Amino acid sequence: MIIALVRSGFSISTFLCAFALMYSASVFADYKKGCDDPRYHQFVNERLAYFEQQNKRLLESTLRDYQRSSQANRNPYRVIADLSRHLIYSAQFDPIETVNAKIDLIFKHGENLSRDQQIAGNVFDNFSTEAHFVGVARAWLAYRQGDLEAAFDALLTSIDVSNSAVMGSFGPDVTFIRRIYRDGYTKPVVSYINKTKEFWVGKRADALRFAWLTMIEQGCKIQFDSLDTIKLAELGLI
């Protein structure tokens, strides 16, 4: 197992970290039938329903955040950040034309920045997080319109990032891969997860990638959450 992990690009320290997480989780009840266990299926279905409701709540709350920052004429970076975060949820539920108008509005806010402000923004984070959210929103729009090729291309393009301190620490958005994996599209999800190695680093990132790729290989349902490192052990996959 260790040799296989190393050959796959995972370090020994990453494996030991992941193993420690799994061992600490062994006090929980195992799913005796692994990925096919009805209790595990129920757990994931409940979690997916929870995320769906959470995203609907965030659709409203992030819109309010943007409206407040925009109306108060706050720091322009804050306005752009609030609107781009809202886009992730708007793209899932709002009419297509409404989402496209919001994407155009983000670029309008960017154009209104002074040259000095644009340079400062590029120095800080290269607007990578905002560009990522716009890319994911475009993936959602294409997917909702049935254009799978455009959706999956937009998904991968959304993580063509550089020097992103935020994404390097916290990782990329997973709302879209959560949906398409549920719908049966594994290849673009695997490509997305593997590509995150270019910017999302550290033991937590490696442990989550390992858990997700292992579960995908075994055909498991996945919630795409930090708890998946624990579920990997409960499913008997390590």
Side-chain angles (χ1 to χ4, degrees), residues 132-133 165-174 192 196 199-200 204-205:
H132 172 56
F133 288 161
V166 175
M167 292 179 63
S169 298
F170 299 101
D173 176 77
V174 296
Y192 185 77
T196 65
F199 61 89
W200 189 26
R204 176 178 175 272

Side-chain angles (χ1 to χ4, degrees), residues 1-23 197 200-214 229 232 238:
M1 172 68 78
I2 295 178
I3 294 175
L5 286 172
V6 172
R7 288 176 178 172
S8 299
F10 292 95
S11 66
I12 295 295
S13 61
T14 297
F15 169 80
L16 293 175
C17 177
F19 181 79
L21 287 171
M22 308 317 159
Y23 181 79
K197 296 175 185 176
W200 189 26
V201 297
K203 293 181 179 179
R204 176 178 175 272
D206 287 343
L208 282 171
R209 273 191 294 264
F210 172 67
W212 292 337
L213 292 174
T214 301
T229 54
L232 189 70
I238 189 170

Side-chain angles (χ1 to χ4, degrees), residues 101-121:
K102 290 175 180 177
I103 292 175
D104 291 341
L105 186 56
I106 281 186
F107 288 105
K108 182 177 180 180
H109 282 304
E111 291 170 357
N112 289 337
L113 293 175
S114 68
R115 178 173 175 79
D116 288 343
Q117 288 173 325
Q118 291 178 22
I119 292 173

